[in-house]
Amino acid sequence: KAGVTQTPRYLIKTRGQQVTLSCSPISGHRSVSWYQQTPGQGLQFLFEYFSETQRNKGNFPGRFSGRQFSNSRSEMNVSTLELGDSALYLCASSLETGQGQPQHFGDGTRLSIL
Amino acid sequence: QKEVEQDPGPLSVPEGAIVSLNCTYSNSAFQYFMWYRQYSRKGPELLMYTYSSGNKEDGRFTAQVDKSSKYISLFIRDSQPSDSATYLCAPTRGAQKLVFGQGTRLTINP
């Protein structure tokens, strides 16, 4: 069974640009969550999507947004990029939402802002 | 105060040793407790998943949760060089929002 697939693996952008990251969950998984990982802050929850609806949201500015498609694939968008947005962005999928469902992570997209 | 506290290490032990990794947390609403292992340049890999207090064993790994003291532990027996990685504890209340500790960087020396 294929794992969580994230594309692209690496991205380099400049301040002010916008970026879209993609995540394909494990087949059959309907919940997709996004996390940001930095050396200083560690892993922080961005948001979760289930059935094309945002179910939970972390404490990030509105520049961070996402969506989920009917096939459960998800995209995350960051607008007006700032230097502090440089991070590893991780996507995790689980079968369902709620009840502490185990989440399985992809290898992430490493975003560098110049 | 962070919701989840974890000693970042680094922790270095000889091959074959028993490793103890620990986290404390402040939110008594946490019910589900996960441990992840992360190798360099890879995403976190789910190691253990427990619900409420008690022990859970899987091969060389044992997860322990003490909700009365808000203390989470992961024990690795007969540690191997391939266990060298960063270990992250991640409790949750039930929503799909994991709250991660800072991670402990572990090195097993041959």
Side-chain angles (χ1 to χ4, degrees), chain B residues 6 28 30 44 53 56 64 73 90 97 101-103 107-108:
Chain B
Q6 185 177 7
S28 57
F30 287 145
S53 284
K56 184 174 183 179
Q64 202 170 73
S73 299
K97 174 187 174 182
Q102 276 294 101
T107 300
I108 308 298

Side-chain angles (χ1 to χ4, degrees), chain A residues 35 37 94 98-100 103 107, chain B residues 32 36 38 43 49 94 96 98:
Chain A
Y35 293 81
Q37 186 173 31
S94 58
Q99 298 303 310
Q103 296 182 42
D107 286 336
Chain B
Y32 303 87
Y36 285 86
Q38 187 173 23
Y49 168 73
Q96 293 307 93
L98 296 174

Side-chain angles (χ1 to χ4, degrees), chain A residues 42-106:
Chain A
L43 269 152
Q44 292 184 286
F45 174 79
L46 280 157
F47 30 64
E48 181 217 355
Y49 285 87
F50 180 80
S51 292
E52 302 176 65
T53 303
Q54 188 179 90
R55 294 301 178 112
N56 288 288
K57 190 177 188 307
N59 295 324
F60 279 82
R63 300 185 297 106
F64 292 82
S65 63
R67 60 177 175 168
Q68 187 181 34
F69 302 95
S70 58
N71 61 358
S72 295
R73 191 177 70 84
S74 177
E75 287 182 348
M76 190 191 96
N77 185 273
V78 188
S79 62
T80 320
L81 287 165
E82 301 177 0
L83 292 177
D85 297 334
S86 292
L88 180 66
Y89 289 89
L90 291 157
C91 167
S93 74
S94 58
L95 274 170
E96 299 290 337
T97 187
Q99 298 303 310
Q101 291 274 323
Q103 296 182 42
H104 302 272
F105 284 81

